[in-house]
């Protein structure tokens, strides 16, 4: 067997006999939105979990966050209620939104000119943080609160400063993470 044929055979073996790449991989936008949704799974909010993922122009994730209590404020001691008699007993005065956490959790010098992927269109408070941080694009999945003043205000501010925002329409209804997909036997605690 000549050398080029040998390398060709090795290449086929490495690809499990397939001679071309997979077609069902996630594109960048699905990957980033899925990352935001995975981050949302960390939220302890009983009514709504939101995640956010900040990405730079090189498709590198520079920050991830989810809605939750500030660092040091116990998830067990601060309220998670929504419609309470006193505002002090409501989560709204305490919870940090996913966008805020993703920006503050950044792993680079800044998030200027980045894109933020978020499950729910940002409220007015998050819009201000997005604007001040220098983010230039907002990609969201749901705009279910579009009729509320705080979300109308967000759009007014984004429009005023030229931040592009658009709704992400996923190609897949769901993305499954299966931890048994990679040689599970060698990772089994009993081995």
């Amino acid at each position: 067997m000549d050398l080029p044929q040998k390398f060709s055979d090795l290449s086929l073996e490495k690809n499990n006999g397939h001679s071309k790449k997979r077609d069902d991989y996630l594109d960048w936008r699905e990957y980033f939105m899925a990352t935001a949704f995975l981050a949302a799974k960390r939220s302890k909010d009983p009514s709504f979990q939101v995640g956010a993922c900040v990405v730079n122009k090189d498709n590198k994730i520079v920050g991830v966050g989810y809605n939750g209590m500030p660092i040091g404020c116990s998830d067990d001691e601060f309220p998670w209620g929504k419609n309470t008699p006193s505002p002090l007993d409501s989560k709204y005065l305490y919870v940090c939104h996913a966008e805020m956490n993703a920006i503050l959790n950044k792993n680079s010098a800044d998030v200027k000119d980045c894109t933020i992927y978020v499950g729910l269109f940002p409220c007015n408070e998050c819009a201000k943080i997005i604007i001040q941080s220098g983010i230039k694009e907002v990609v969201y999945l749901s705009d279910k609160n579009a009729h509320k003043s705080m979300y109308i205000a967000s759009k007014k501010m984004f429009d005023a400063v030229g931040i592009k925002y658009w709704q992400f329409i996923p190609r897949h209804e769901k993305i499954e993470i299966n931890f048994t997909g990679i040689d599970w036997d060698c990772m089994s605690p009993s081995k």
Side-chain angles (χ1 to χ4, degrees):
M1 177 182 309
D2 64 352
L3 200 54
Q5 179 63 42
K6 183 177 179 181
F7 284 122
S8 177
D9 291 345
L10 284 173
S11 176
L12 280 173
E13 286 176 28
K14 286 182 181 176
N15 291 322
N16 296 326
H18 302 288
S19 60
K20 66 177 209 146
K21 69 181 181 183
R22 284 189 318 122
D23 292 330
D24 61 343
Y25 62 91
L26 297 177
D27 66 29
W28 285 116
R29 291 174 174 166
E30 283 182 304
Y31 173 63
F32 299 136
M33 188 60 78
T35 300
F37 269 70
L38 184 60
K41 295 290 186 188
R42 285 281 310 139
S43 175
K44 293 161 187 90
D45 190 321
S47 57
F48 210 74
Q49 302 82 45
V50 180
C53 178
V54 180
V55 180
N56 69 15
K57 62 181 172 50
D58 297 321
N59 287 329
K60 305 278 191 266
I61 295 174
V62 298
V64 175
Y66 55 89
N67 58 318
M69 295 296 169
I71 295 170
C73 294
S74 172
D75 295 326
D76 296 321
E77 294 175 20
F78 281 82
W80 288 104
K82 289 171 62 171
N83 301 317
T84 60
S86 168
L88 292 173
D89 295 327
S90 168
K91 69 179 182 176
Y92 295 117
L93 295 180
Y94 307 104
V95 170
C96 297
H97 286 185
E99 299 91 332
M100 175 193 298
N101 279 327
I103 291 166
L104 292 173
N105 292 340
K106 68 185 184 296
N107 59 12
S108 66
D110 63 41
V111 294
K112 186 174 176 21
D113 298 324
C114 286
T115 298
I116 189 165
Y117 288 78
V118 64
L120 185 63
F121 192 86
C123 71
N124 63 308
E125 293 299 320
C126 290
K128 291 185 263 187
I129 294 168
I130 288 167
I131 292 165
Q132 292 298 89
S133 71
I135 288 175
K136 294 297 180 201
E137 184 175 22
V138 175
V139 182
Y140 61 92
L141 188 73
S142 172
D143 196 10
K144 73 176 197 157
N145 297 315
H147 62 284
K148 295 182 178 178
S149 298
M150 64 178 54
Y151 299 93
I152 294 168
S154 297
K155 288 177 182 152
K156 284 180 76 170
M157 288 186 282
F158 287 158
D159 290 341
V161 299
I163 290 180
K164 180 179 164 188
Y165 55 90
W166 56 276
Q167 185 173 26
F168 175 76
I169 307 297
R171 290 187 310 161
H172 301 96
E173 183 179 319
K174 65 180 182 175
I175 297 170
E176 183 177 320
I177 297 174
N178 183 351
F179 287 113
T180 62
I182 299 176
D183 195 9
W184 182 254
D185 290 338
C186 75
M187 297 186 323
S188 176
S190 63
K191 300 237 179 213

